[in-house]
Amino acid sequence: MSMETDQSQSRLNGVAVFFYVFLPFALGHYLSSLLRNVNAVLAPHLVGALALTPGQLGLLTSAFFFAFALVQLPVGIALDRYGPRKVQVVLLMLAAIGALLFATGRSFGQLVLARAIIGCGLGGCFMSAVKAISTWIAPTRLPSVQGYLIAVGGLGAASSTMPVRVLLQHTDWRGLFMLLSALTACSGLLIWLVTPRSQAPGGALPTVRSVLDVYRAPAFRATISLVLVPHAIFFGIQGLWIGRWLADVARFPDAAVAYLLYMGMASVIFGAIAVGMITEWAGRRGIEALDVAAVGVFLFILVQVVIVLNWRPSLQLLSVLFTLVGTITGIEYAIVAQSLPRTLTGRAATCLNLLIFIGAFLVQAGFGLIVGLWRPDAAGHFPALAYRVAFGVLVALQMPGLLGYVHDFLRRRQVKCGIALLTQKEEYEIGSLRSPR
């Protein structure tokens, strides 16, 4: 890193980092979460405007996730090679173009292409923010700051519900996407204007083969073995099936389901901040972030076990707890960023995103296949047993990772105890040799 860059970094205090680094990149992440979830609210408008079938609506919405996952590895390589400032500006401008094309699209094919372009453009929002933040702050601050970043994403997801409904009273969905396109372009411009330039690592261009360096890292493997499956389940279920579960099992009306989903989105904000603060607090006391994650994963599985038991008096509470406790899974980004060299943090974040979004797709589709094994009633509601079996399968999928962590934790404790006993024995023998006879 050049002397000029080192000096500029040393001149940035906490307030400057907040305004010049965190806020610009957090705005991009906010818009990414909003655009990712907005189709849930716009679905009736899109179906009415284009006469979409349910299959077409599903394909239109999932085009975002497919494109998002597709660009993860190239974006990670670019982040490590060119730095988050340059990469994020280009991607946000691409997303702004996609939103503009969506606003002006007249056919199903045009909207699918536009939605995919939006997914490509927003595919680096979170990783760019993680890369930028990890460049300018101490590693010990990463869990709390990334918790704030995830909270901003929760705010974006919450904004895609009731606030969008209010905005649609003054414009149509095309006008909404015009506005979102302008905001996305302004977000990229803000990053270009105010974020300080940092020296990119330079050197040889990282290749896809170099991504194997991330997977070979023991910290990365230990993290994904514990948190990856719960994270994929959190994304896959919270984004679709919690709402269907509330409608089919609890038989709540649409207005109540919408309110509970909004409460769940809002709980992400508080949960993410709490996870960051707890992790940082634990770190100051010598407790590793992976140990904090293990406690959170246990609680997350426990919530699902209660869902399997069909505890009917508090189904609405369980729906919010699922989202609130599930925010612990976002801690894996901080663990990996702390554990790996900075030259790999971009690729590490994108590798995580690739695995998480593929996993979320599989969870979302697989859960639907299991529920679909039962027939709905006359009102179109699937039985509670279908959901209990599906959630039971999810619990079974998460148990190997948790049990593997417990095994490794006990083994590490045994090793530490053995080292302590050997040390005490050596000290005793040395003291015996030194003592007069």
PDB file of all heavy atoms in Angstrom, residues 8 12 16-26 83-86 88-89 92 128-129 131-133 135-136 187-198:
ATOM      1  N   SER A   8      -3.730   8.600   4.383  1.00  0.00           N
ATOM      2  CA  SER A   8      -5.152   8.911   4.310  1.00  0.00           C
ATOM      3  C   SER A   8      -5.947   8.024   5.237  1.00  0.00           C
ATOM      4  O   SER A   8      -6.911   8.455   5.853  1.00  0.00           O
ATOM      5  CB  SER A   8      -5.654   8.748   2.857  1.00  0.00           C
ATOM      6  OG  SER A   8      -5.555   7.409   2.460  1.00  0.00           O
ATOM      7  N   LEU A  12      -8.355   9.083   8.911  1.00  0.00           N
ATOM      8  CA  LEU A  12      -9.784   8.812   9.039  1.00  0.00           C
ATOM      9  C   LEU A  12     -10.107   8.362  10.456  1.00  0.00           C
ATOM     10  O   LEU A  12      -9.661   7.304  10.897  1.00  0.00           O
ATOM     11  CB  LEU A  12     -10.216   7.737   8.046  1.00  0.00           C
ATOM     12  CG  LEU A  12     -10.367   8.140   6.584  1.00  0.00           C
ATOM     13  CD1 LEU A  12     -10.816   6.952   5.765  1.00  0.00           C
ATOM     14  CD2 LEU A  12     -11.347   9.276   6.421  1.00  0.00           C
ATOM     15  N   ALA A  16     -15.402   9.918  10.476  1.00  0.00           N
ATOM     16  CA  ALA A  16     -15.149   9.984   9.029  1.00  0.00           C
ATOM     17  C   ALA A  16     -15.438   8.652   8.361  1.00  0.00           C
ATOM     18  O   ALA A  16     -16.025   8.602   7.266  1.00  0.00           O
ATOM     19  CB  ALA A  16     -13.711  10.410   8.778  1.00  0.00           C
ATOM     20  N   VAL A  17     -15.044   7.547   8.997  1.00  0.00           N
ATOM     21  CA  VAL A  17     -15.319   6.227   8.430  1.00  0.00           C
ATOM     22  C   VAL A  17     -16.825   5.999   8.315  1.00  0.00           C
ATOM     23  O   VAL A  17     -17.315   5.450   7.323  1.00  0.00           O
ATOM     24  CB  VAL A  17     -14.670   5.123   9.288  1.00  0.00           C
ATOM     25  CG1 VAL A  17     -15.157   3.745   8.863  1.00  0.00           C
ATOM     26  CG2 VAL A  17     -13.160   5.189   9.194  1.00  0.00           C
ATOM     27  N   PHE A  18     -17.573   6.455   9.326  1.00  0.00           N
ATOM     28  CA  PHE A  18     -19.024   6.285   9.305  1.00  0.00           C
ATOM     29  C   PHE A  18     -19.655   7.024   8.124  1.00  0.00           C
ATOM     30  O   PHE A  18     -20.475   6.457   7.389  1.00  0.00           O
ATOM     31  CB  PHE A  18     -19.627   6.783  10.617  1.00  0.00           C
ATOM     32  CG  PHE A  18     -21.128   6.709  10.669  1.00  0.00           C
ATOM     33  CD1 PHE A  18     -21.770   5.496  10.888  1.00  0.00           C
ATOM     34  CD2 PHE A  18     -21.908   7.846  10.475  1.00  0.00           C
ATOM     35  CE1 PHE A  18     -23.150   5.420  10.932  1.00  0.00           C
ATOM     36  CE2 PHE A  18     -23.291   7.777  10.511  1.00  0.00           C
ATOM     37  CZ  PHE A  18     -23.910   6.559  10.743  1.00  0.00           C
ATOM     38  N   PHE A  19     -19.268   8.293   7.933  1.00  0.00           N
ATOM     39  CA  PHE A  19     -19.904   9.108   6.902  1.00  0.00           C
ATOM     40  C   PHE A  19     -19.350   8.839   5.502  1.00  0.00           C
ATOM     41  O   PHE A  19     -20.098   8.891   4.519  1.00  0.00           O
ATOM     42  CB  PHE A  19     -19.757  10.597   7.232  1.00  0.00           C
ATOM     43  CG  PHE A  19     -20.693  11.073   8.299  1.00  0.00           C
ATOM     44  CD1 PHE A  19     -20.227  11.295   9.585  1.00  0.00           C
ATOM     45  CD2 PHE A  19     -22.038  11.267   8.035  1.00  0.00           C
ATOM     46  CE1 PHE A  19     -21.089  11.728  10.586  1.00  0.00           C
ATOM     47  CE2 PHE A  19     -22.906  11.697   9.022  1.00  0.00           C
ATOM     48  CZ  PHE A  19     -22.428  11.928  10.306  1.00  0.00           C
ATOM     49  N   TYR A  20     -18.062   8.570   5.383  1.00  0.00           N
ATOM     50  CA  TYR A  20     -17.441   8.454   4.069  1.00  0.00           C
ATOM     51  C   TYR A  20     -17.355   7.017   3.555  1.00  0.00           C
ATOM     52  O   TYR A  20     -17.187   6.800   2.356  1.00  0.00           O
ATOM     53  CB  TYR A  20     -16.035   9.058   4.085  1.00  0.00           C
ATOM     54  CG  TYR A  20     -16.017  10.528   4.392  1.00  0.00           C
ATOM     55  CD1 TYR A  20     -14.972  11.098   5.118  1.00  0.00           C
ATOM     56  CD2 TYR A  20     -17.041  11.364   3.959  1.00  0.00           C
ATOM     57  CE1 TYR A  20     -14.946  12.459   5.406  1.00  0.00           C
ATOM     58  CE2 TYR A  20     -17.030  12.720   4.241  1.00  0.00           C
ATOM     59  CZ  TYR A  20     -15.986  13.261   4.960  1.00  0.00           C
ATOM     60  OH  TYR A  20     -15.981  14.605   5.243  1.00  0.00           O
ATOM     61  N   VAL A  21     -17.441   6.037   4.456  1.00  0.00           N
ATOM     62  CA  VAL A  21     -17.320   4.633   4.040  1.00  0.00           C
ATOM     63  C   VAL A  21     -18.606   3.865   4.336  1.00  0.00           C
ATOM     64  O   VAL A  21     -19.228   3.300   3.434  1.00  0.00           O
ATOM     65  CB  VAL A  21     -16.114   3.947   4.729  1.00  0.00           C
ATOM     66  CG1 VAL A  21     -16.007   2.488   4.270  1.00  0.00           C
ATOM     67  CG2 VAL A  21     -14.829   4.694   4.427  1.00  0.00           C
ATOM     68  N   PHE A  22     -19.020   3.868   5.620  1.00  0.00           N
ATOM     69  CA  PHE A  22     -20.156   3.029   5.991  1.00  0.00           C
ATOM     70  C   PHE A  22     -21.454   3.478   5.317  1.00  0.00           C
ATOM     71  O   PHE A  22     -22.138   2.667   4.670  1.00  0.00           O
ATOM     72  CB  PHE A  22     -20.330   3.028   7.512  1.00  0.00           C
ATOM     73  CG  PHE A  22     -21.508   2.209   7.980  1.00  0.00           C
ATOM     74  CD1 PHE A  22     -21.377   0.837   8.156  1.00  0.00           C
ATOM     75  CD2 PHE A  22     -22.738   2.793   8.232  1.00  0.00           C
ATOM     76  CE1 PHE A  22     -22.453   0.072   8.580  1.00  0.00           C
ATOM     77  CE2 PHE A  22     -23.821   2.042   8.652  1.00  0.00           C
ATOM     78  CZ  PHE A  22     -23.673   0.675   8.824  1.00  0.00           C
ATOM     79  N   LEU A  23     -21.810   4.733   5.458  1.00  0.00           N
ATOM     80  CA  LEU A  23     -23.104   5.199   4.941  1.00  0.00           C
ATOM     81  C   LEU A  23     -23.260   5.027   3.432  1.00  0.00           C
ATOM     82  O   LEU A  23     -24.295   4.538   2.972  1.00  0.00           O
ATOM     83  CB  LEU A  23     -23.335   6.657   5.346  1.00  0.00           C
ATOM     84  CG  LEU A  23     -23.867   6.906   6.762  1.00  0.00           C
ATOM     85  CD1 LEU A  23     -24.150   8.384   6.970  1.00  0.00           C
ATOM     86  CD2 LEU A  23     -25.124   6.085   7.029  1.00  0.00           C
ATOM     87  N   PRO A  24     -22.264   5.411   2.607  1.00  0.00           N
ATOM     88  CA  PRO A  24     -22.451   5.230   1.153  1.00  0.00           C
ATOM     89  C   PRO A  24     -22.647   3.774   0.754  1.00  0.00           C
ATOM     90  O   PRO A  24     -23.518   3.464  -0.065  1.00  0.00           O
ATOM     91  CB  PRO A  24     -21.157   5.814   0.564  1.00  0.00           C
ATOM     92  CG  PRO A  24     -20.658   6.770   1.595  1.00  0.00           C
ATOM     93  CD  PRO A  24     -21.015   6.156   2.901  1.00  0.00           C
ATOM     94  N   PHE A  25     -21.836   2.887   1.319  1.00  0.00           N
ATOM     95  CA  PHE A  25     -21.977   1.472   0.966  1.00  0.00           C
ATOM     96  C   PHE A  25     -23.236   0.867   1.596  1.00  0.00           C
ATOM     97  O   PHE A  25     -23.869  -0.010   1.005  1.00  0.00           O
ATOM     98  CB  PHE A  25     -20.739   0.692   1.403  1.00  0.00           C
ATOM     99  CG  PHE A  25     -19.573   0.850   0.478  1.00  0.00           C
ATOM    100  CD1 PHE A  25     -18.609   1.826   0.707  1.00  0.00           C
ATOM    101  CD2 PHE A  25     -19.427   0.045  -0.637  1.00  0.00           C
ATOM    102  CE1 PHE A  25     -17.536   1.978  -0.149  1.00  0.00           C
ATOM    103  CE2 PHE A  25     -18.356   0.179  -1.500  1.00  0.00           C
ATOM    104  CZ  PHE A  25     -17.412   1.154  -1.255  1.00  0.00           C
ATOM    105  N   ALA A  26     -23.614   1.324   2.798  1.00  0.00           N
ATOM    106  CA  ALA A  26     -24.828   0.826   3.431  1.00  0.00           C
ATOM    107  C   ALA A  26     -26.069   1.216   2.626  1.00  0.00           C
ATOM    108  O   ALA A  26     -27.043   0.451   2.563  1.00  0.00           O
ATOM    109  CB  ALA A  26     -24.942   1.360   4.858  1.00  0.00           C
ATOM    110  N   GLY A  83     -10.620  -3.341  -5.787  1.00  0.00           N
ATOM    111  CA  GLY A  83     -11.118  -2.621  -4.635  1.00  0.00           C
ATOM    112  C   GLY A  83     -12.608  -2.372  -4.712  1.00  0.00           C
ATOM    113  O   GLY A  83     -13.202  -2.334  -5.796  1.00  0.00           O
ATOM    114  N   PRO A  84     -13.272  -2.167  -3.554  1.00  0.00           N
ATOM    115  CA  PRO A  84     -14.732  -2.050  -3.527  1.00  0.00           C
ATOM    116  C   PRO A  84     -15.258  -0.775  -4.161  1.00  0.00           C
ATOM    117  O   PRO A  84     -16.378  -0.761  -4.672  1.00  0.00           O
ATOM    118  CB  PRO A  84     -15.061  -2.099  -2.031  1.00  0.00           C
ATOM    119  CG  PRO A  84     -13.811  -1.640  -1.357  1.00  0.00           C
ATOM    120  CD  PRO A  84     -12.692  -2.128  -2.207  1.00  0.00           C
ATOM    121  N   ARG A  85     -14.497   0.313  -4.119  1.00  0.00           N
ATOM    122  CA  ARG A  85     -15.002   1.589  -4.629  1.00  0.00           C
ATOM    123  C   ARG A  85     -15.287   1.516  -6.122  1.00  0.00           C
ATOM    124  O   ARG A  85     -16.393   1.846  -6.583  1.00  0.00           O
ATOM    125  CB  ARG A  85     -13.987   2.691  -4.332  1.00  0.00           C
ATOM    126  CG  ARG A  85     -14.396   4.084  -4.808  1.00  0.00           C
ATOM    127  CD  ARG A  85     -13.383   5.114  -4.330  1.00  0.00           C
ATOM    128  NE  ARG A  85     -13.686   6.442  -4.858  1.00  0.00           N
ATOM    129  CZ  ARG A  85     -13.201   6.914  -5.994  1.00  0.00           C
ATOM    130  NH1 ARG A  85     -12.372   6.167  -6.725  1.00  0.00           N
ATOM    131  NH2 ARG A  85     -13.520   8.121  -6.417  1.00  0.00           N
ATOM    132  N   LYS A  86     -14.337   1.062  -6.907  1.00  0.00           N
ATOM    133  CA  LYS A  86     -14.515   0.992  -8.351  1.00  0.00           C
ATOM    134  C   LYS A  86     -15.568  -0.048  -8.731  1.00  0.00           C
ATOM    135  O   LYS A  86     -16.430   0.202  -9.584  1.00  0.00           O
ATOM    136  CB  LYS A  86     -13.188   0.655  -9.031  1.00  0.00           C
ATOM    137  CG  LYS A  86     -12.130   1.741  -8.919  1.00  0.00           C
ATOM    138  CD  LYS A  86     -10.854   1.314  -9.616  1.00  0.00           C
ATOM    139  CE  LYS A  86      -9.781   2.395  -9.522  1.00  0.00           C
ATOM    140  NZ  LYS A  86      -8.514   1.977 -10.172  1.00  0.00           N
ATOM    141  N   GLN A  88     -18.073  -1.357  -6.975  1.00  0.00           N
ATOM    142  CA  GLN A  88     -19.444  -1.068  -6.568  1.00  0.00           C
ATOM    143  C   GLN A  88     -20.079   0.018  -7.418  1.00  0.00           C
ATOM    144  O   GLN A  88     -21.281  -0.040  -7.710  1.00  0.00           O
ATOM    145  CB  GLN A  88     -19.475  -0.676  -5.081  1.00  0.00           C
ATOM    146  CG  GLN A  88     -20.855  -0.431  -4.520  1.00  0.00           C
ATOM    147  CD  GLN A  88     -21.718  -1.694  -4.476  1.00  0.00           C
ATOM    148  OE1 GLN A  88     -21.462  -2.669  -5.178  1.00  0.00           O
ATOM    149  NE2 GLN A  88     -22.739  -1.664  -3.661  1.00  0.00           N
ATOM    150  N   VAL A  89     -19.305   1.001  -7.828  1.00  0.00           N
ATOM    151  CA  VAL A  89     -19.853   2.057  -8.686  1.00  0.00           C
ATOM    152  C   VAL A  89     -20.345   1.464 -10.005  1.00  0.00           C
ATOM    153  O   VAL A  89     -21.452   1.756 -10.471  1.00  0.00           O
ATOM    154  CB  VAL A  89     -18.793   3.151  -8.938  1.00  0.00           C
ATOM    155  CG1 VAL A  89     -19.263   4.107 -10.035  1.00  0.00           C
ATOM    156  CG2 VAL A  89     -18.525   3.932  -7.660  1.00  0.00           C
ATOM    157  N   LEU A  92     -23.549  -0.735  -9.367  1.00  0.00           N
ATOM    158  CA  LEU A  92     -24.762   0.030  -9.069  1.00  0.00           C
ATOM    159  C   LEU A  92     -25.301   0.719 -10.319  1.00  0.00           C
ATOM    160  O   LEU A  92     -26.521   0.846 -10.485  1.00  0.00           O
ATOM    161  CB  LEU A  92     -24.486   1.047  -7.969  1.00  0.00           C
ATOM    162  CG  LEU A  92     -24.374   0.470  -6.545  1.00  0.00           C
ATOM    163  CD1 LEU A  92     -23.979   1.555  -5.551  1.00  0.00           C
ATOM    164  CD2 LEU A  92     -25.684  -0.185  -6.116  1.00  0.00           C
ATOM    165  N   SER A 128     -19.121  -5.736  -1.212  1.00  0.00           N
ATOM    166  CA  SER A 128     -18.369  -4.491  -1.372  1.00  0.00           C
ATOM    167  C   SER A 128     -18.336  -3.719  -0.058  1.00  0.00           C
ATOM    168  O   SER A 128     -17.299  -3.163   0.318  1.00  0.00           O
ATOM    169  CB  SER A 128     -19.010  -3.625  -2.461  1.00  0.00           C
ATOM    170  OG  SER A 128     -18.907  -4.237  -3.727  1.00  0.00           O
ATOM    171  N   ALA A 129     -19.474  -3.690   0.631  1.00  0.00           N
ATOM    172  CA  ALA A 129     -19.520  -3.002   1.915  1.00  0.00           C
ATOM    173  C   ALA A 129     -18.606  -3.681   2.932  1.00  0.00           C
ATOM    174  O   ALA A 129     -17.873  -3.010   3.668  1.00  0.00           O
ATOM    175  CB  ALA A 129     -20.958  -2.957   2.425  1.00  0.00           C
ATOM    176  N   LYS A 131     -15.972  -5.512   2.307  1.00  0.00           N
ATOM    177  CA  LYS A 131     -14.590  -5.271   1.895  1.00  0.00           C
ATOM    178  C   LYS A 131     -14.152  -3.867   2.272  1.00  0.00           C
ATOM    179  O   LYS A 131     -13.047  -3.663   2.789  1.00  0.00           O
ATOM    180  CB  LYS A 131     -14.485  -5.471   0.377  1.00  0.00           C
ATOM    181  CG  LYS A 131     -13.071  -5.320  -0.180  1.00  0.00           C
ATOM    182  CD  LYS A 131     -12.209  -6.500   0.164  1.00  0.00           C
ATOM    183  CE  LYS A 131     -10.870  -6.421  -0.570  1.00  0.00           C
ATOM    184  NZ  LYS A 131      -9.994  -7.541  -0.223  1.00  0.00           N
ATOM    185  N   ALA A 132     -15.000  -2.871   2.010  1.00  0.00           N
ATOM    186  CA  ALA A 132     -14.648  -1.487   2.317  1.00  0.00           C
ATOM    187  C   ALA A 132     -14.500  -1.271   3.815  1.00  0.00           C
ATOM    188  O   ALA A 132     -13.540  -0.648   4.282  1.00  0.00           O
ATOM    189  CB  ALA A 132     -15.695  -0.543   1.738  1.00  0.00           C
ATOM    190  N   ILE A 133     -15.453  -1.799   4.581  1.00  0.00           N
ATOM    191  CA  ILE A 133     -15.413  -1.612   6.024  1.00  0.00           C
ATOM    192  C   ILE A 133     -14.184  -2.277   6.632  1.00  0.00           C
ATOM    193  O   ILE A 133     -13.502  -1.706   7.485  1.00  0.00           O
ATOM    194  CB  ILE A 133     -16.708  -2.152   6.656  1.00  0.00           C
ATOM    195  CG1 ILE A 133     -17.894  -1.269   6.256  1.00  0.00           C
ATOM    196  CG2 ILE A 133     -16.599  -2.200   8.173  1.00  0.00           C
ATOM    197  CD1 ILE A 133     -19.238  -1.860   6.625  1.00  0.00           C
ATOM    198  N   THR A 135     -11.402  -2.718   5.367  1.00  0.00           N
ATOM    199  CA  THR A 135     -10.190  -2.007   4.981  1.00  0.00           C
ATOM    200  C   THR A 135      -9.901  -0.848   5.920  1.00  0.00           C
ATOM    201  O   THR A 135      -8.748  -0.507   6.155  1.00  0.00           O
ATOM    202  CB  THR A 135     -10.317  -1.478   3.539  1.00  0.00           C
ATOM    203  OG1 THR A 135     -10.539  -2.580   2.655  1.00  0.00           O
ATOM    204  CG2 THR A 135      -9.066  -0.732   3.111  1.00  0.00           C
ATOM    205  N   TRP A 136     -10.963  -0.245   6.477  1.00  0.00           N
ATOM    206  CA  TRP A 136     -10.788   1.013   7.205  1.00  0.00           C
ATOM    207  C   TRP A 136     -10.991   0.904   8.704  1.00  0.00           C
ATOM    208  O   TRP A 136     -10.793   1.906   9.417  1.00  0.00           O
ATOM    209  CB  TRP A 136     -11.748   2.060   6.647  1.00  0.00           C
ATOM    210  CG  TRP A 136     -11.463   2.396   5.207  1.00  0.00           C
ATOM    211  CD1 TRP A 136     -12.071   1.869   4.099  1.00  0.00           C
ATOM    212  CD2 TRP A 136     -10.494   3.310   4.710  1.00  0.00           C
ATOM    213  NE1 TRP A 136     -11.546   2.403   2.957  1.00  0.00           N
ATOM    214  CE2 TRP A 136     -10.575   3.302   3.299  1.00  0.00           C
ATOM    215  CE3 TRP A 136      -9.573   4.166   5.309  1.00  0.00           C
ATOM    216  CZ2 TRP A 136      -9.768   4.082   2.491  1.00  0.00           C
ATOM    217  CZ3 TRP A 136      -8.761   4.951   4.514  1.00  0.00           C
ATOM    218  CH2 TRP A 136      -8.861   4.906   3.118  1.00  0.00           C
ATOM    219  N   SER A 187     -26.769   6.431  -5.532  1.00  0.00           N
ATOM    220  CA  SER A 187     -25.970   5.705  -4.552  1.00  0.00           C
ATOM    221  C   SER A 187     -24.571   5.417  -5.094  1.00  0.00           C
ATOM    222  O   SER A 187     -23.565   5.585  -4.390  1.00  0.00           O
ATOM    223  CB  SER A 187     -26.669   4.395  -4.169  1.00  0.00           C
ATOM    224  OG  SER A 187     -25.881   3.629  -3.298  1.00  0.00           O
ATOM    225  N   GLY A 188     -24.496   4.973  -6.353  1.00  0.00           N
ATOM    226  CA  GLY A 188     -23.185   4.747  -6.965  1.00  0.00           C
ATOM    227  C   GLY A 188     -22.380   6.029  -7.088  1.00  0.00           C
ATOM    228  O   GLY A 188     -21.170   6.051  -6.828  1.00  0.00           O
ATOM    229  N   LEU A 189     -23.051   7.127  -7.462  1.00  0.00           N
ATOM    230  CA  LEU A 189     -22.368   8.413  -7.577  1.00  0.00           C
ATOM    231  C   LEU A 189     -21.841   8.877  -6.224  1.00  0.00           C
ATOM    232  O   LEU A 189     -20.740   9.432  -6.129  1.00  0.00           O
ATOM    233  CB  LEU A 189     -23.328   9.448  -8.164  1.00  0.00           C
ATOM    234  CG  LEU A 189     -22.759  10.854  -8.415  1.00  0.00           C
ATOM    235  CD1 LEU A 189     -21.620  10.796  -9.431  1.00  0.00           C
ATOM    236  CD2 LEU A 189     -23.859  11.794  -8.893  1.00  0.00           C
ATOM    237  N   LEU A 190     -22.610   8.643  -5.163  1.00  0.00           N
ATOM    238  CA  LEU A 190     -22.184   9.031  -3.825  1.00  0.00           C
ATOM    239  C   LEU A 190     -20.907   8.297  -3.415  1.00  0.00           C
ATOM    240  O   LEU A 190     -19.986   8.902  -2.845  1.00  0.00           O
ATOM    241  CB  LEU A 190     -23.307   8.736  -2.830  1.00  0.00           C
ATOM    242  CG  LEU A 190     -23.057   9.123  -1.376  1.00  0.00           C
ATOM    243  CD1 LEU A 190     -22.935  10.632  -1.236  1.00  0.00           C
ATOM    244  CD2 LEU A 190     -24.174   8.589  -0.482  1.00  0.00           C
ATOM    245  N   ILE A 191     -20.855   6.999  -3.689  1.00  0.00           N
ATOM    246  CA  ILE A 191     -19.651   6.221  -3.369  1.00  0.00           C
ATOM    247  C   ILE A 191     -18.447   6.782  -4.120  1.00  0.00           C
ATOM    248  O   ILE A 191     -17.353   6.935  -3.564  1.00  0.00           O
ATOM    249  CB  ILE A 191     -19.866   4.738  -3.703  1.00  0.00           C
ATOM    250  CG1 ILE A 191     -20.866   4.120  -2.726  1.00  0.00           C
ATOM    251  CG2 ILE A 191     -18.554   3.967  -3.677  1.00  0.00           C
ATOM    252  CD1 ILE A 191     -21.244   2.694  -3.050  1.00  0.00           C
ATOM    253  N   TRP A 192     -18.633   7.111  -5.396  1.00  0.00           N
ATOM    254  CA  TRP A 192     -17.522   7.619  -6.206  1.00  0.00           C
ATOM    255  C   TRP A 192     -17.015   8.972  -5.690  1.00  0.00           C
ATOM    256  O   TRP A 192     -15.812   9.245  -5.715  1.00  0.00           O
ATOM    257  CB  TRP A 192     -17.957   7.742  -7.651  1.00  0.00           C
ATOM    258  CG  TRP A 192     -16.867   8.198  -8.570  1.00  0.00           C
ATOM    259  CD1 TRP A 192     -16.688   9.439  -9.102  1.00  0.00           C
ATOM    260  CD2 TRP A 192     -15.777   7.410  -9.047  1.00  0.00           C
ATOM    261  NE1 TRP A 192     -15.567   9.469  -9.881  1.00  0.00           N
ATOM    262  CE2 TRP A 192     -14.984   8.234  -9.872  1.00  0.00           C
ATOM    263  CE3 TRP A 192     -15.409   6.072  -8.864  1.00  0.00           C
ATOM    264  CZ2 TRP A 192     -13.840   7.771 -10.510  1.00  0.00           C
ATOM    265  CZ3 TRP A 192     -14.262   5.614  -9.497  1.00  0.00           C
ATOM    266  CH2 TRP A 192     -13.498   6.453 -10.310  1.00  0.00           C
ATOM    267  N   LEU A 193     -17.920   9.793  -5.181  1.00  0.00           N
ATOM    268  CA  LEU A 193     -17.550  11.152  -4.788  1.00  0.00           C
ATOM    269  C   LEU A 193     -16.969  11.240  -3.381  1.00  0.00           C
ATOM    270  O   LEU A 193     -16.038  12.032  -3.147  1.00  0.00           O
ATOM    271  CB  LEU A 193     -18.769  12.077  -4.891  1.00  0.00           C
ATOM    272  CG  LEU A 193     -19.297  12.356  -6.303  1.00  0.00           C
ATOM    273  CD1 LEU A 193     -20.538  13.224  -6.245  1.00  0.00           C
ATOM    274  CD2 LEU A 193     -18.225  13.006  -7.168  1.00  0.00           C
ATOM    275  N   VAL A 194     -17.501  10.464  -2.437  1.00  0.00           N
ATOM    276  CA  VAL A 194     -17.112  10.691  -1.038  1.00  0.00           C
ATOM    277  C   VAL A 194     -16.224   9.608  -0.451  1.00  0.00           C
ATOM    278  O   VAL A 194     -15.501   9.864   0.515  1.00  0.00           O
ATOM    279  CB  VAL A 194     -18.360  10.861  -0.147  1.00  0.00           C
ATOM    280  CG1 VAL A 194     -19.274  11.938  -0.696  1.00  0.00           C
ATOM    281  CG2 VAL A 194     -19.120   9.553   0.034  1.00  0.00           C
ATOM    282  N   THR A 195     -16.267   8.387  -0.983  1.00  0.00           N
ATOM    283  CA  THR A 195     -15.463   7.315  -0.393  1.00  0.00           C
ATOM    284  C   THR A 195     -13.996   7.528  -0.720  1.00  0.00           C
ATOM    285  O   THR A 195     -13.638   7.721  -1.890  1.00  0.00           O
ATOM    286  CB  THR A 195     -15.910   5.939  -0.918  1.00  0.00           C
ATOM    287  OG1 THR A 195     -17.286   5.747  -0.615  1.00  0.00           O
ATOM    288  CG2 THR A 195     -15.088   4.828  -0.286  1.00  0.00           C
ATOM    289  N   PRO A 196     -13.106   7.512   0.276  1.00  0.00           N
ATOM    290  CA  PRO A 196     -11.676   7.716   0.011  1.00  0.00           C
ATOM    291  C   PRO A 196     -11.098   6.596  -0.823  1.00  0.00           C
ATOM    292  O   PRO A 196     -11.520   5.441  -0.731  1.00  0.00           O
ATOM    293  CB  PRO A 196     -11.065   7.753   1.416  1.00  0.00           C
ATOM    294  CG  PRO A 196     -12.035   7.023   2.281  1.00  0.00           C
ATOM    295  CD  PRO A 196     -13.388   7.301   1.707  1.00  0.00           C
ATOM    296  N   ARG A 197     -10.145   6.964  -1.649  1.00  0.00           N
ATOM    297  CA  ARG A 197      -9.462   5.968  -2.479  1.00  0.00           C
ATOM    298  C   ARG A 197      -8.497   5.172  -1.631  1.00  0.00           C
ATOM    299  O   ARG A 197      -7.702   5.731  -0.890  1.00  0.00           O
ATOM    300  CB  ARG A 197      -8.711   6.648  -3.626  1.00  0.00           C
ATOM    301  CG  ARG A 197      -9.614   7.308  -4.654  1.00  0.00           C
ATOM    302  CD  ARG A 197      -8.794   8.107  -5.653  1.00  0.00           C
ATOM    303  NE  ARG A 197      -9.612   8.614  -6.735  1.00  0.00           N
ATOM    304  CZ  ARG A 197     -10.353   9.711  -6.675  1.00  0.00           C
ATOM    305  NH1 ARG A 197     -10.370  10.414  -5.542  1.00  0.00           N
ATOM    306  NH2 ARG A 197     -11.066  10.102  -7.700  1.00  0.00           N
ATOM    307  N   SER A 198      -8.559   3.867  -1.764  1.00  0.00           N
ATOM    308  CA  SER A 198      -7.609   2.994  -1.088  1.00  0.00           C
ATOM    309  C   SER A 198      -6.860   2.198  -2.131  1.00  0.00           C
ATOM    310  O   SER A 198      -7.413   1.848  -3.176  1.00  0.00           O
ATOM    311  CB  SER A 198      -8.317   2.050  -0.111  1.00  0.00           C
ATOM    312  OG  SER A 198      -9.237   1.236  -0.795  1.00  0.00           O
TER     313      SER A 198
END
